[in-house]
Amino acid sequence: MAEVRRVSGEGRLARAGFADSHRASVLLDQLDALDPHHRMGSEQVVASLAESADPDLALTGLLGMAEALQQNGFDLGAFARTLDLDADFRRRLTAVLGASEALGRHLSVHPRHWYDLADPALAAARPTPDDVAACLATAVDAENPMDALRVEYRRLLLRLAARDLAEGLLVDETAAVLADLAGGALQTALHIARNDFFKAHPGAADCRLAIVAMGKCGGRELNYVSDVDVLFVAEPLEGEPEAPALKTATQLASAAMRICSAHTAEGTLWPVDAALRPEGKSGPLVRTLDSHLAYYGRWAKTWEFQALLKARPIAGDAELGRAYAEKTGELVWSAADRDGFVDDVQAMRRRVVDHIPAADADRQLKLGPGGLRDVEFAVQLLQLVHGRSDEKVRSGTTLIALEQLTNSGYVGRTDGAVLADAYRFLRSMEHRIQLYRLRRTHQVPDDDDDLRRLGRSLGFTKNPVADLTAAWKKHGLEVRRLHEKLFYRPLLSAVARIPGGEVRLTPEAAKQRLTALGYDDPASALRHIEALSEGVSRRSSIQRALLPAMLGWFAESPGPDAGLLAFRTISDALGSTPWYLRQLRDEGASAERLAHLLASGRYAVDLLQRAPEATAMLADERELTPRTPEALLTEMSAAGRRKDGAEAAVAAIRAVRRRELFRVAAADLSGLVDVEVVGEALTTISVATLTAALEVARRTIAKGAEEPTRMAIVAMGRFGGHELSYGSDADVMFVHDPLPGATEKAATDFATQVATELRRLLALPGADPAVAVDADLRPEGRQGPLVRTLASYQSYYARWSAVWEAQALLRADPLCGDSELCEAFRALIDPLRYPENGIRERDVMEIRRIKARVDAERLPRGADPATHTKLGRGGLADIEWTVQLLQMREAHRVPGLRTTRTLGALRAAVEAELVQSRDADVLATAWRMATRIRNAIMLVRARPDDSLPRNPRDLAAVAQICGYPPGETSRFSDDYLRTTRRARNTVDHLFWGD
């Protein structure tokens, strides 16, 4: 036996995840005491227990099982040796015991079932329905068949749970095996019922009886604990009368149901529910095939055809079951022809939701908003609509049907994948919740201990409660979003009824409408429309239905002609993809959003034309929410790692950047984000881009060797202030810190090569926008080294730093690269930018002198100081210098001023009563307006400019992006002049002291 190390100390047990470490220590002692030759509380056992969903529960179950082995005289030593030597067995056993109190009780009653978990073939086992049925059929000849059926069922369930919890079995496979278990149990129950019935009634008429599974069992997607929905179909034997055969069939069906659902000394399996039969509980339990067909042909409601989607023979007479499935299938796929079909199904869905108690809705996995039923109903409705003419979408299994619908183009690929992932996650949650006590429930617990166990069982080991809740809510939101689109969209009614005519746009009508809408070049616009709408293809018919509304939306935007041209370009690129036109047709908000975006300017259009598939995110405004820094960096880093060469890796990173720039621009043009959010989002994109590209550059220069230094990138200027605009360069400084053992020269050479390579890779010409990395704000500017060590920065700032450099450092924020180095650089510069007791008066005078020189010399030739948003009167420079002077004077005593963000510092100044609220409001309003205008200019022209446009059309476009209705360009210009004039007066007071 391998050497066993005893785990001691309640502290270690607590660190291992035991909630009650004292009790755990006592139980481990009891476990060891069971067999003096084999101590079962070894460190490796404790480690396995610690990895389970609930270590305390797992330990309790382990002790109970071991005690049962000892009390029953079974070979406890063999169990202990296997527990010690077989890591796979140990992992499976503790996984089951930690997730299922019920299976722990089962093992304490039937402890020798541990051999099933030690089966070396268990991980690779893929039992067929026949395999499962054969195992369960052994109960027929037992002394007590009902109890034997339950014991054998639980044994197979134990094997399945071990594969599910410890071997990574997919939820689809788990659900399929559970359905096979139910089918095998019903087959065995029917066999037992036949034996009992004909033993008691030897002269009774015989019959053919088939059991048809419905619902989740029929779809081979059963839960661990669920009602098993069935129908019974019977026929007399050839030449025999019908009535006696149906009487016998009814007795057999009732007995089979009772055998499965009755409570015995070995518990129960599950309720068998036949309420989905024709006429429900009011109708006969058993019917002949003709009787079933007559009912469905004359009386059945829409929901009954929907239920038949999952009908599948699972027990009894196989030939009769197949005949039932074949005949009813023909009826199912004509259901969509019935009057009011779609309205019936939607109304049924609403009734289901309305019957959920309000207190339960938020924690309902099955029936609540964003729950499992949402997915199932949406998929079934799409199947009933499209399955009548497309046999490829007729599966009774939700996930298979969803895949079929996706592959056939009825569901977008992304939507299908997201919906499938969400459904799998929600089903996994449902399985784990039910597995705990083997009780039928769809309610997410609200107790933290239960949530912790549930989260850990699903792999959330770091912060199980928070991470599980976040994932659940995320998937629920996705399901709700996609369900609303798939379930309620008008497409379904239209497809179900196949209207004889459709909205058409003839060239003549288009010409008249273009003139009325005010297109500048109706002839060119008409050519675009003709190209989009001519022909008899499905694509053309959808365009003809879309164009009347699209033309109106284009006309509401500043550049309708440009919008239409862009729409044609995007449609030419995407028109053959199945989701594009369908999205625009079925998602009114998506089409309207796209129209306004295309007609608003060139920037977003240029980004979209490089990758037209980004149009898909316009379908849901939640998709336009800027990504989190963590998510974005993860994706960019992964994109870079997937490519072999440096240029290909950075190209992949830049492609992600381009998509994210479009996301922000689309959200901005849709009015979903304000100017501060835009600046933060653009900064996040730049940080992720530089960080991911830095990883690539380092790998490229290192060439597999150990890197001699740590590196960080310090964001400066608007980048460091988290206030980037669409046209901003990334102002940076590079810092590195040699690793122990590396020479400073080798480290500096390496860091310089990395920085140079980084800038080269990001500036390469390509399909995606280049990233301009500007390092001119470094010490000594262009004359100084591109990269310095941390010690070199410290030496420079100690000896040579001027007040303007301290001012520039107010916007310095180390954001990329080594986190410890970033913090060290921040600690280095804080005393410089926030000097103790504030800056001296002569430094104040120097700052004012430099500002006066900037005002006199930096304004571009020919620029109007009244309309230059950066250097003009009351522009960004005026406001930012004012705030920065305040920071250098007061940040040493007002912590809130120690921020790189302009508006954040202004708010802190108001809170500290350094600036009156009305003055801060004037400056903040001017800053926001100037920043918004600069962004709008870039969105319109796709090139940066700091002055209000002189071109009337461009100025109108900028005004409209800034929220001014068409025709109010003059009011926009007047408002800007008024706002900046007030700001300049406030700057004169706060900065110049006038």
Side-chain angles (χ1 to χ4, degrees):
M1 182 174 175
E3 181 185 354
V4 176
R5 291 187 296 161
R6 181 70 175 90
V7 175
S8 62
E10 295 178 13
R12 294 187 65 190
L13 292 173
R15 288 192 297 275
F18 289 86
D20 189 341
S21 56
H22 174 71
R23 179 176 176 275
S25 181
V26 171
L27 295 185
L28 286 168
D29 289 339
Q30 294 176 14
L31 190 63
D32 278 342
L34 291 177
D35 186 343
H37 303 293
H38 306 97
R39 302 180 68 184
M40 289 178 280
S42 67
E43 185 168 315
Q44 58 189 6
V45 171
V46 172
S48 294
L49 291 168
E51 292 174 357
S52 70
D54 186 338
D56 298 86
L57 178 65
L59 177 57
T60 301
L62 179 60
L63 177 61
M65 179 184 168
E67 288 176 338
L69 285 168
Q70 184 188 58
Q71 291 164 7
N72 287 280
F74 298 139
D75 192 348
L76 180 62
F79 170 76
R81 286 192 299 275
T82 308
L83 186 67
D84 176 46
L85 297 173
D86 190 338
D88 288 336
F89 166 65
R90 201 164 52 241
R91 175 171 50 82
R92 292 176 194 141
L93 177 63
T94 54
V96 169
L97 293 174
S100 179
E101 181 184 69
L103 289 177
R105 287 197 306 271
H106 171 80
L107 283 168
S108 69
V109 177
H110 301 281
R112 299 195 77 185
H113 283 177
W114 72 263
Y115 286 104
D116 284 281
L117 302 185
D119 181 359
L122 182 60
R126 292 294 183 271
T128 66
D130 289 342
D131 295 334
V132 172
C135 290
L136 292 167
T138 59
V140 172
D141 298 323
E143 182 178 348
N144 185 333
M146 286 178 63
D147 280 352
L149 174 60
R150 282 152 176 72
V151 172
E152 182 62 12
Y153 181 91
R154 290 282 190 274
R155 184 184 72 83
L156 296 176
L157 191 71
L158 175 67
R159 291 175 65 90
L160 175 61
R163 293 169 59 209
D164 180 10
L165 292 163
E167 304 296 348
L169 192 67
L170 293 176
V171 69
D172 325 30
E173 298 178 74
T174 303
V177 176
L178 287 166
D180 294 342
L181 276 169
L186 282 166
Q187 180 69 50
T188 301
L190 183 57
H191 196 158
I192 295 170
R194 272 188 169 275
N195 289 349
D196 292 346
F197 178 78
F198 285 107
K199 182 178 180 180
H201 306 89
D206 203 349
C207 65
R208 299 171 64 198
L209 177 63
I211 303 178
V212 179
M214 306 288 285
K216 281 185 161 37
C217 187
R220 292 193 79 220
E221 51 189 16
L222 198 61
N223 298 327
Y224 273 101
V225 186
S226 175
D227 289 359
V228 174
D229 297 312
V230 298
L231 297 175
F232 295 99
V233 190
E235 294 289 339
L237 299 181
E238 188 175 354
E240 298 295 325
E242 182 178 295
L246 284 180
K247 183 177 179 180
T248 296
T250 301
Q251 294 288 334
L252 293 176
S254 298
M257 293 173 68
R258 185 171 58 254
I259 288 168
C260 290
S261 57
H263 288 267
T264 73
E266 291 291 346
T268 183
L269 295 183
W270 14 252
V272 180
D273 190 346
L276 291 176
R277 65 187 184 268
E279 300 182 74
K281 293 181 180 179
S282 301
L285 180 63
V286 181
R287 288 176 182 257
T288 64
L289 177 55
D290 286 343
S291 176
H292 275 280
L293 296 176
Y295 173 84
Y296 287 122
R298 186 171 183 184
W299 304 109
K301 298 178 175 61
T302 299
W303 70 264
E304 292 176 283
F305 291 107
Q306 186 176 6
L308 284 172
L309 273 170
K310 294 184 178 294
R312 179 176 64 92
I314 56 165
D317 191 301
E319 184 180 349
L320 179 58
R322 284 194 295 270
Y324 175 90
E326 181 181 335
K327 295 294 185 183
T328 55
E330 295 172 2
L331 297 173
V332 168
W333 303 116
S334 63
D337 293 327
R338 296 164 59 93
D339 291 339
F341 161 73
V342 173
D343 293 338
D344 283 349
V345 179
Q346 291 178 342
M348 182 170 65
R349 168 61 194 160
R350 286 192 291 271
R351 284 196 297 273
V352 171
V353 174
D354 291 343
H355 281 85
I356 303 173
D360 296 341
D362 287 345
R363 307 200 75 78
Q364 257 280 351
L365 275 177
K366 181 178 180 180
L367 302 179
L372 294 163
R373 186 62 61 85
D374 278 350
V375 182
E376 292 157 3
F377 266 65
V379 169
Q380 290 166 25
L381 181 54
L382 283 165
Q383 283 184 280
L384 289 173
V385 171
H386 299 295
R388 58 179 172 161
S389 59
D390 189 345
E391 296 182 1
K392 298 191 298 295
V393 297
R394 294 183 176 181
S395 173
T397 305
T398 301
L399 286 169
I400 294 175
L402 179 57
E403 183 179 7
Q404 292 171 341
L405 288 163
T406 302
N407 291 339
S408 298
Y410 302 115
V411 175
R413 291 196 179 277
T414 301
D415 287 353
V418 170
L419 207 58
D421 287 347
Y423 187 73
R424 285 190 175 94
F425 181 82
L426 295 174
R427 286 301 304 275
S428 297
M429 281 187 70
E430 185 181 45
H431 280 191
R432 297 293 194 270
I433 292 168
Q434 294 182 350
L435 189 56
Y436 176 47
R437 290 197 171 111
L438 286 181
R439 291 180 182 172
R440 180 175 179 265
T441 178
H442 309 285
Q443 197 89 347
V444 178
D446 52 13
D447 178 77
D448 277 355
D449 290 340
D450 290 337
L451 286 171
R452 179 176 180 273
R453 181 185 58 256
L454 177 60
R456 284 175 60 87
S457 75
L458 290 166
F460 299 104
T461 55
K462 188 175 182 181
N463 298 298
V465 176
D467 292 347
L468 168 69
T469 303
W472 169 38
K473 296 300 183 185
K474 170 184 172 292
H475 285 298
L477 284 173
E478 290 289 0
V479 169
R480 190 62 182 162
R481 176 180 68 85
L482 294 174
H483 166 263
E484 287 172 345
K485 179 171 73 171
L486 296 176
F487 193 80
Y488 292 106
R489 61 181 177 173
L491 166 69
L492 300 180
S493 297
V495 173
R497 298 190 182 102
I498 312 183
E502 43 186 37
V503 180
R504 302 179 68 87
L505 187 70
T506 66
E508 293 77 11
K511 194 170 186 177
Q512 294 170 358
R513 187 161 185 178
L514 286 168
T515 302
L517 289 171
Y519 279 74
D520 284 349
D521 190 350
S524 294
L526 185 57
R527 285 195 296 272
H528 299 321
I529 294 167
E530 289 172 341
L532 288 165
S533 61
E534 65 182 355
V536 294
S537 66
R538 180 172 175 271
R539 169 181 170 180
S540 299
S541 68
I542 296 176
Q543 286 284 17
R544 285 193 291 270
L546 281 172
L547 276 168
M550 295 293 286
L551 291 172
W553 288 325
F554 290 143
E556 293 172 3
S557 297
D561 297 86
L564 180 55
L565 172 60
F567 180 59
R568 179 181 175 184
T569 303
I570 299 298
S571 295
D572 286 345
L574 292 179
S576 60
T577 58
W579 59 267
Y580 168 66
L581 291 176
R582 191 157 56 239
Q583 171 185 306
L584 298 183
R585 181 188 62 191
D586 302 331
E587 302 280 359
S590 174
E592 184 173 4
R593 198 172 284 130
L594 176 64
H596 287 303
L597 183 147
L598 295 177
S600 292
R602 292 173 50 191
Y603 182 78
V605 172
D606 288 350
L607 292 173
L608 189 58
Q609 287 176 340
R610 291 187 177 102
E613 64 274 7
T615 307
M617 70 176 68
L618 300 176
D620 185 349
E621 67 179 37
R622 287 173 297 185
E623 282 296 309
L624 300 180
T625 302
R627 301 273 299 282
T628 64
E630 296 79 12
L632 196 50
L633 179 57
T634 298
E635 182 181 3
M636 285 189 173
S637 295
R641 285 193 295 269
R642 282 194 293 267
K643 301 296 182 180
D644 292 332
E647 294 186 3
V650 172
I653 293 167
R654 286 168 57 178
V656 177
R657 173 178 178 264
R658 182 255 313 135
R659 186 198 66 209
E660 294 308 312
L661 289 174
F662 175 76
R663 190 190 308 275
V664 176
D668 195 359
L669 289 167
S670 301
L672 301 176
V673 290
D674 64 23
V675 71
E676 282 189 87
V677 174
V678 170
E680 193 69 54
L682 294 174
T683 300
T684 296
I685 294 169
S686 290
V687 170
T689 302
L690 287 175
T691 302
L694 179 63
E695 294 174 6
V696 174
R698 285 166 47 201
R699 288 198 301 269
T700 301
I701 301 303
K703 297 177 182 177
E706 186 174 348
E707 298 178 18
T709 189
R710 302 181 300 165
M711 288 191 69
I713 299 175
V714 182
M716 301 291 289
R718 305 191 74 78
F719 185 18
H722 297 250
E723 298 162 355
L724 282 178
S725 62
Y726 296 107
S728 298
D729 292 347
D731 291 320
V732 302
M733 296 194 302
F734 294 98
V735 59
H736 76 103
D737 187 30
L739 294 173
T743 66
E744 182 171 330
K745 183 180 185 307
T748 299
D749 288 347
F750 174 83
T752 301
Q753 292 178 59
V754 168
T756 302
E757 177 69 359
L758 169 73
R759 298 175 76 189
R760 183 189 73 84
L761 291 170
L762 290 174
L764 286 172
D768 298 302
V771 184
V773 180
D774 189 340
D776 289 353
L777 288 177
R778 65 187 184 270
E780 301 180 72
R782 295 181 182 178
Q783 306 304 314
L786 179 62
V787 183
R788 287 177 181 265
T789 64
L790 183 66
S792 176
Y793 275 104
Q794 184 175 20
S795 174
Y796 175 85
Y797 288 134
R799 295 187 62 188
W800 307 108
S801 176
V803 66
W804 70 266
E805 289 179 298
Q807 182 184 358
L809 290 174
L810 288 169
R811 309 273 271 175
D813 195 357
L815 294 174
C816 312
D818 186 90
S819 58
E820 291 183 2
L821 183 55
C822 287
E823 286 303 315
F825 190 87
R826 190 175 284 112
L828 167 65
I829 63 174
D830 276 354
L832 296 170
R833 53 184 175 176
Y834 312 131
E836 187 177 358
N837 300 321
I839 60 172
R840 297 166 296 182
E841 191 58 34
R842 68 180 184 185
D843 289 331
V844 173
M845 294 177 63
E846 176 63 11
I847 289 172
R848 287 173 174 165
R849 185 190 69 78
I850 296 172
K851 178 64 170 71
R853 185 175 176 183
V854 168
D855 290 347
E857 300 176 4
R858 293 284 299 279
L859 191 71
R861 180 178 299 177
D864 184 349
T867 59
H868 198 278
T869 59
K870 183 177 180 181
L871 299 174
R873 293 188 293 267
L876 293 172
D878 273 355
I879 298 163
E880 290 164 1
W881 281 65
T882 300
V883 172
Q884 290 162 15
L885 180 60
L886 196 63
Q887 288 178 285
M888 297 181 77
R889 279 177 153 173
E890 305 292 347
H892 68 282
R893 65 182 186 87
V894 181
L897 288 173
R898 299 169 197 167
T899 175
T900 61
R901 295 164 171 84
T902 302
L903 296 185
L906 257 182
R907 287 189 282 266
V910 173
E911 291 176 7
E913 299 182 350
L914 298 174
V915 174
Q916 292 185 10
S917 179
R918 65 173 181 272
D919 288 341
D921 288 344
V922 167
L923 296 179
T925 300
W927 188 92
R928 288 192 180 94
M929 189 171 191
T931 302
R932 185 79 182 96
I933 289 171
R934 293 180 83 210
N935 282 340
I937 292 170
M938 185 67 180
L939 289 171
V940 170
R941 293 178 168 174
R943 65 176 187 273
D945 199 332
D946 293 321
S947 291
L948 263 63
R950 294 177 180 176
N951 179 288
R953 180 177 289 276
D954 287 353
L955 183 61
V958 169
Q960 202 160 336
I961 291 173
C962 290
Y964 288 78
E968 296 200 14
T969 305
S970 295
R971 184 168 70 87
F972 162 70
S973 299
D974 290 343
D975 283 351
Y976 177 74
L977 294 174
R978 185 184 310 109
T979 299
T980 53
R981 186 164 56 247
R982 290 174 179 169
R984 182 57 182 240
N985 291 337
T986 302
V987 169
D988 287 344
H989 165 61
L990 294 177
F991 183 84
W992 298 105
D994 293 348

